[in-house]
Structure formats: C-alpha cells, structure tokens
C-alpha cells in the first residue's frame, strides 16, 4: 500500500479578501505538489467557521483530482469568542495573557466538533497513514497518527515584542506541545538550529531541512507589464525605484532602510530615485514608520512611497522594474522575497544574518542589518555601478534555479514514506 496523507488545508480554506501571507503560499504550493503525486493517497482536512467559503477556496485545487474533505466546523461562538479574547488580552498585564489565552483555547475546544470518516477508522493506528500540516498543530482526532509539521522560525521564542503579542500565543502553545512524536520540516538550516537551541528536548534527527521555493510566476517581466504595474501603484514614470516587499513590521528593519535611503540621496544629491515600500502592515508599527518619514525633509519624504498590499499578479512586474531590491531584515526563517526578486532578475541587498545567506549565497550584496553606513554603501554600489547590477542579476537568476517546490515536496514525501515504513 502507498502512503495515505491527511493534509491540513485550514490556512487555505480560511483566506478572506484575497490578502495572503508567506505561510499561505507555502501551504498553497505544497498542496499543489502533493496533488500532482500519484504515489500518495490524499485527503484534505480543514477547520472553518464558514464551510461554504472554505469549499469555494478549496475547489480550484480539486478541479483535476477528487479528494475527500474532512471538514471541522468552527462554531460562530468560537470565532467571536477568539476575537473577544484577543481584544481583551491586548489591554491586560502581560503575566495574565498566557494563562487566559490557554484557558480560552480549552473552552473553544469543547465547542469544536470534527467530522471524521468513522470512529473506527479515525482511532485505528495505521502504519501508512500520516497527518501533515503546513502551519497549525494537528488536531486531537489525529494525534495517534505519525505527525509532520512545517516550522518556519522561532521568532516568538526570541523577540519579546513577538512573544508578548497575543496573536502569537498559538505558536507558544505549539512549542510546548512539540515532542519526539513530531517530525518537523524546517524551512532552513538556521530554523532547525534555532528550534534545537530554544527547544533542546527536540531531537536533531526529527527536524528535516526542506528549503522553500517561489511560484513559477516570478520571472523577468516585459516592459509593458512593468509599465502597467508602475501606473497602477502610482510610481512616477520619470524615476528609477528601489523596491521592498514585506509585511511592514519591526523585524523587517524598514525604518533603518528608509533613513539610510534619505541619507544616501541627500549625500549624493540624487533626484531621480524613489523608495517603494510594498506590503500590508502592522497597525502598531505603521505609526512609527510614518512618524519617521514625517520628520524628513519634504523633498525626501515625497520619494518614499507606501503602496500597500501588492496583488499577486503585479509582484513580478514590480520586482522586475526595480533598480534593486532591499530586504535587510533582523531575522528570517527563510526569506522568500529575496528569492522572488532573484527569480525576476532583480539585484538584491539583504542582511547577512539568520537564514538569508542560505537563500542568497553569493548572488547579492549582504550587510549587517544594523549598520547604517553599510546600507548607504550598498545603495551607492548598485546605483552607480550598472555592471554590478547586471552581474548580480545573472547570479540571482542562476541561484534561484536551485530552489523548487518539486524538490521541497520530494524531500517531505520521501521522509514521510520512510517513517511510515514504506
């Protein structure tokens, strides 16, 4: 018998408004790859408060392959209660939040009912059946199966501002539950190292490094596609632009990147360049960023463009049209945007920390994330040196070819089969 795999598609099923995060794209890409495979039998698990919308979200994946959907209903009460609890936690002392969040999760679990094939099948421990999740911890109904989980980064274990954010307590709960019964797929060697450092009870052999990839839509765009994207996001036609695409949050180091841009254009008397910041934002952070931008000279301020969330169909064109791409994050579990930029032939500047060297290699300029002078020198290197831009564009395109979702899925499925004794 082949491998029977239950895939947790909750992240995909619950997307609303078309705005998706990096973890969604991982879940999306892996589900597509798993569906292409003939050597596994796939069932889809999802938990949602809106079954109709969940099935609509999942329908495109199932147009060519019929799979059973194991649907778990999140009751209206549970959805509303979660929102209420999160709101309350934001105003409570930090020492109370973990206890209250944990208690709320237990209450919600009592309201959740799973629809499983039948009691006998769900409780029987089958050697060739596994549960795979690209994000959430496996539900209690499947804890008896071999459990496989994608882990992205240990940020809430490292940074206080993330640890104390109520939105991350699901991760802290997960971290407490992780034990030797789980096999984890770490998206970088650095992520594996960090989890072993902060959760030392985990075994190295139970964490498998599986580098991610980016979607096939990320490739060099033509002049017409770039022009349309520039017009849509109001990027001046007569200006070159630096591009940054990420969630606007503290860890991404955007305040420093913007301030260094201001110093760079002031120092060199540059008037033909703007800095385009793309991506959704944290409400708490955007105010700080806007205050920093607001304190700048009016002429410089006008050269910093916040364009908000960028539609999937426009991302490759915006990468391709940029003079270069800046991503000097303080920490990354993998760092998909630099890989996307390289896939579009865009020269990149990234930090030299965490997992980013694993992604960029020798194909870009890498600097200390907290070094202002290094930022300015990197900007100058690309702005004034067309040969360097062309050289790193070619290196980036070649480097990007090393990463593919097929390779990622192959590693995962091979490991799942091995541990299932197949």
């Amino acid at each position: 018998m082949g491998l029977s795999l239950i895939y947790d598609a909750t992240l995909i099923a619950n997307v609303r408004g078309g705005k998706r995060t990096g973890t969604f794209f991982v879940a999306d890409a892996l589900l597509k790859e798993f569906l292409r495979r003939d050597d596994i039998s796939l069932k889809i698990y999802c938990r949602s408060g809106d079954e109709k919308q969940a099935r609509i979200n999942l329908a495109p994946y199932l147009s060519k392959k019929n799979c059973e959907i194991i649907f778990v209903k999140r009751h209206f009460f549970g959805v509303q209660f979660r929102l209420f609890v999160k709101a309350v936690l934001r105003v409570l002392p930090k020492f109370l939040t973990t206890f209250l969040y944990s208690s709320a999760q237990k209450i919600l679990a009592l309201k959740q009912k799973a629809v499983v094939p039948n009691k006998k099948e769900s409780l029987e421990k089958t050697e060739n059946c596994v549960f795979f999740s690209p994000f959430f911890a496996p539900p209690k109904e499947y804890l008896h199966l071999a459990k496989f989980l994608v882990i992205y980064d240990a940020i809430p274990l490292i940074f206080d501002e993330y640890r104390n954010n109520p939105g991350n307590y699901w991760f802290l709960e997960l971290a407490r539950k992780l034990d030797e019964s789980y096999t984890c797929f770490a998206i970088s060697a650095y992520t594996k190292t960090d989890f072993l450092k902060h959760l030392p009870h985990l075994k190295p052999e139970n964490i498998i490094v599986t580098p991610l990839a980016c979607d096939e839509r990320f490739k060099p765009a033509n002049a017409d596609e770039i022009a349309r994207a520039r017009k849509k996001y109001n990027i001046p036609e007569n200006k070159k632009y630096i591009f940054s695409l990420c969630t606007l949050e503290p860890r991404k180091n955007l305040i420093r990147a913007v301030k260094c841009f201001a110093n760079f254009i002031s120092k060199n008397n540059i008037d033909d360049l703007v800095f385009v910041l793309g991506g959704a934002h944290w409400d708490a952070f955007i105010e700080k960023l806007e205050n920093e931008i607001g304190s700048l000279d009016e002429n410089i301020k006008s050269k910093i463009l916040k364009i908000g969330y960028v539609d999937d169909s426009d991302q490759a064109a915006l990468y391709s049209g940029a003079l270069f791409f800046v991503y000097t994050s303080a920490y990354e579990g993998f760092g998909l945007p630099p890989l996307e930029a390289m896939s579009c032939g865009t020269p990149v500047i990234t930090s030299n920390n965490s997992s980013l060297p694993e992604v960029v290699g020798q194909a870009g300029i890498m600097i200390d994330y907290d070094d202002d002078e290094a930022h300015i020198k990197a900007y100058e290197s690309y702005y004034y040196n067309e040969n360097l831009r062309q050289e790193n564009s070619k290196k980036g395109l070649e480097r990007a070819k090393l990463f593919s979702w097929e390779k990622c899925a192959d590693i995962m499925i091979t490991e799942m089969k091995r541990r299932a004794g197949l």
Side-chain angles (χ1 to χ4, degrees), residues 353-413:
N353 62 49
S354 55
S355 65
L356 290 167
E358 296 178 55
V359 178
V360 178
Q362 302 299 314
I365 296 176
M366 307 200 78
I367 61 176
D368 292 340
Y369 83 96
D370 57 353
D371 189 331
D372 291 7
E373 188 59 32
H375 277 76
I376 294 171
K377 286 182 178 179
Y379 295 167
E380 289 174 338
S381 294
Y382 275 148
Y383 182 81
Y384 289 112
N385 192 335
E386 182 179 357
N387 288 336
L388 179 60
R389 294 199 306 271
Q390 291 179 350
E391 179 183 348
N392 280 1
S393 172
K394 292 177 182 177
K395 285 182 178 179
L397 287 167
E398 289 303 311
R399 177 77 181 174
K401 293 177 183 177
L402 300 177
F403 301 85
S404 78
W405 286 116
E406 183 179 2
K407 289 181 182 178
C408 182
D410 280 346
I411 294 171
M412 292 178 172
I413 291 174

Side-chain angles (χ1 to χ4, degrees), residues 132-370:
F132 175 90
S133 175
F135 193 71
F136 298 109
K140 62 182 180 181
E141 290 81 13
Y142 296 103
L143 290 179
H144 62 288
L145 298 179
K147 303 177 289 293
F148 296 86
L149 177 71
V150 179
I151 54 175
Y152 297 86
D153 56 62
I155 288 171
L157 300 176
I158 300 170
F159 299 101
D160 287 343
E161 60 195 313
Y162 291 83
R163 182 187 302 111
N164 297 323
N165 183 336
N168 287 325
Y169 287 144
W170 69 270
F171 174 87
L172 300 177
E173 287 285 310
L174 170 62
R176 281 190 284 272
K177 293 175 182 177
L178 283 179
D179 57 30
E180 62 182 19
S181 70
Y182 285 80
T183 299
C184 297
F185 294 114
I187 62 174
S188 65
Y190 193 88
T191 289
K192 176 175 180 175
T193 300
D194 251 7
F195 268 78
L196 291 173
K197 175 182 177 182
H198 294 281
L199 301 173
H201 64 281
L202 298 179
K203 295 182 177 180
E205 60 268 27
N206 286 347
I207 303 180
I208 314 302
V209 176
T210 50
L212 304 182
C214 59
D215 193 85
E216 294 176 354
R217 74 177 184 275
F218 292 103
K219 56 187 177 182
N222 61 44
D224 289 340
E225 291 168 333
I226 293 170
R228 282 195 295 271
R230 290 184 67 128
K231 183 177 181 180
K232 179 175 178 178
Y233 295 95
N234 299 311
I235 302 171
E237 293 182 9
N238 62 338
K239 304 286 187 183
K240 303 169 186 174
Y241 69 93
I242 299 172
F243 190 42
S244 175
L245 182 62
C246 61
T247 302
L248 278 57
E249 59 175 284
R251 175 173 54 92
K252 301 300 184 179
N253 203 30
L254 292 168
I255 289 176
R256 174 174 280 106
V258 166
K259 282 180 148 182
C260 290
F261 169 75
N263 291 334
F264 159 63
I265 60 175
S266 295
K267 172 186 173 183
N268 294 283
N269 196 28
I270 291 171
D271 192 48
D272 65 346
L273 186 67
V274 296
F275 197 150
V276 176
L277 301 174
H281 64 262
W282 284 20
D283 291 339
F285 175 73
I286 196 66
E287 184 177 347
K288 294 180 182 179
L289 178 62
E290 288 176 344
N291 287 339
E292 291 291 342
I293 294 174
S295 67
L296 299 172
D297 177 87
E298 284 297 326
N299 183 48
I300 294 176
K301 193 190 309 183
S302 67
K303 292 181 171 60
I304 300 168
L305 311 179
K306 300 191 303 298
I307 62 173
Y309 186 84
V310 177
D311 292 335
D312 298 351
S313 58
D314 301 318
Q315 291 174 359
L318 290 179
Y319 279 126
S320 299
L323 194 67
F324 54 90
F325 178 73
V326 176
Y327 198 82
T328 54
S329 175
Y331 178 104
E332 289 296 322
F334 183 80
L336 269 177
L339 181 58
E340 293 167 354
M342 292 191 299
S343 298
C344 295
T346 308
V348 300
I349 298 172
T350 68
S351 311
N352 55 16
N353 62 49
S354 55
S355 65
L356 290 167
E358 296 178 55
V359 178
V360 178
Q362 302 299 314
I365 296 176
M366 307 200 78
I367 61 176
D368 292 340
Y369 83 96
D370 57 353

Side-chain angles (χ1 to χ4, degrees), residues 7-206:
Y7 187 100
D8 187 349
T10 298
L11 200 61
I12 297 169
N14 289 316
V15 166
R16 295 292 183 275
K19 294 186 178 182
R20 296 168 285 184
T21 62
T23 50
F24 167 88
F25 289 111
V26 175
D28 166 80
L30 289 175
L31 180 54
K32 289 175 180 174
E33 284 296 329
F34 288 179
L35 284 167
R36 291 190 185 108
R37 301 290 293 253
D38 294 325
D39 56 340
I40 60 174
S41 173
L42 194 67
K43 294 180 181 179
I44 292 177
Y45 166 94
C46 73
R47 184 178 73 252
S48 176
D50 185 347
E51 181 174 353
K52 181 178 179 181
Q53 184 60 51
R55 292 185 183 278
I56 289 172
N57 288 349
L58 291 170
Y61 300 88
L62 306 180
S63 61
K64 296 182 180 179
K65 191 169 185 177
N66 185 34
C67 291
E68 177 184 350
I69 298 178
I70 303 169
F71 190 84
V72 177
K73 186 174 183 180
R74 285 176 59 187
H75 291 270
F76 175 81
F77 166 81
V79 175
Q80 298 305 312
F81 187 53
R82 287 174 198 274
L83 295 175
F84 170 75
V85 168
K86 286 185 178 181
V88 170
L89 291 181
R90 292 184 187 279
V91 297
L92 288 177
K94 291 183 175 64
F95 71 91
L96 288 175
T97 57
T98 301
F99 169 76
L100 291 177
Y101 185 82
S102 178
S103 299
Q105 293 294 90
K106 291 176 182 178
I107 292 172
L108 293 175
L110 297 176
K111 303 294 294 182
Q112 182 171 290
K113 295 181 180 179
V115 180
V116 294
N118 59 63
K119 185 175 181 180
K120 181 179 179 181
E121 180 180 346
S122 66
L123 296 179
E124 182 183 0
K125 181 160 184 169
T126 53
E127 294 299 324
N128 67 324
C129 185
V130 304
F131 189 94
F132 175 90
S133 175
F135 193 71
F136 298 109
K140 62 182 180 181
E141 290 81 13
Y142 296 103
L143 290 179
H144 62 288
L145 298 179
K147 303 177 289 293
F148 296 86
L149 177 71
V150 179
I151 54 175
Y152 297 86
D153 56 62
I155 288 171
L157 300 176
I158 300 170
F159 299 101
D160 287 343
E161 60 195 313
Y162 291 83
R163 182 187 302 111
N164 297 323
N165 183 336
N168 287 325
Y169 287 144
W170 69 270
F171 174 87
L172 300 177
E173 287 285 310
L174 170 62
R176 281 190 284 272
K177 293 175 182 177
L178 283 179
D179 57 30
E180 62 182 19
S181 70
Y182 285 80
T183 299
C184 297
F185 294 114
I187 62 174
S188 65
Y190 193 88
T191 289
K192 176 175 180 175
T193 300
D194 251 7
F195 268 78
L196 291 173
K197 175 182 177 182
H198 294 281
L199 301 173
H201 64 281
L202 298 179
K203 295 182 177 180
E205 60 268 27
N206 286 347

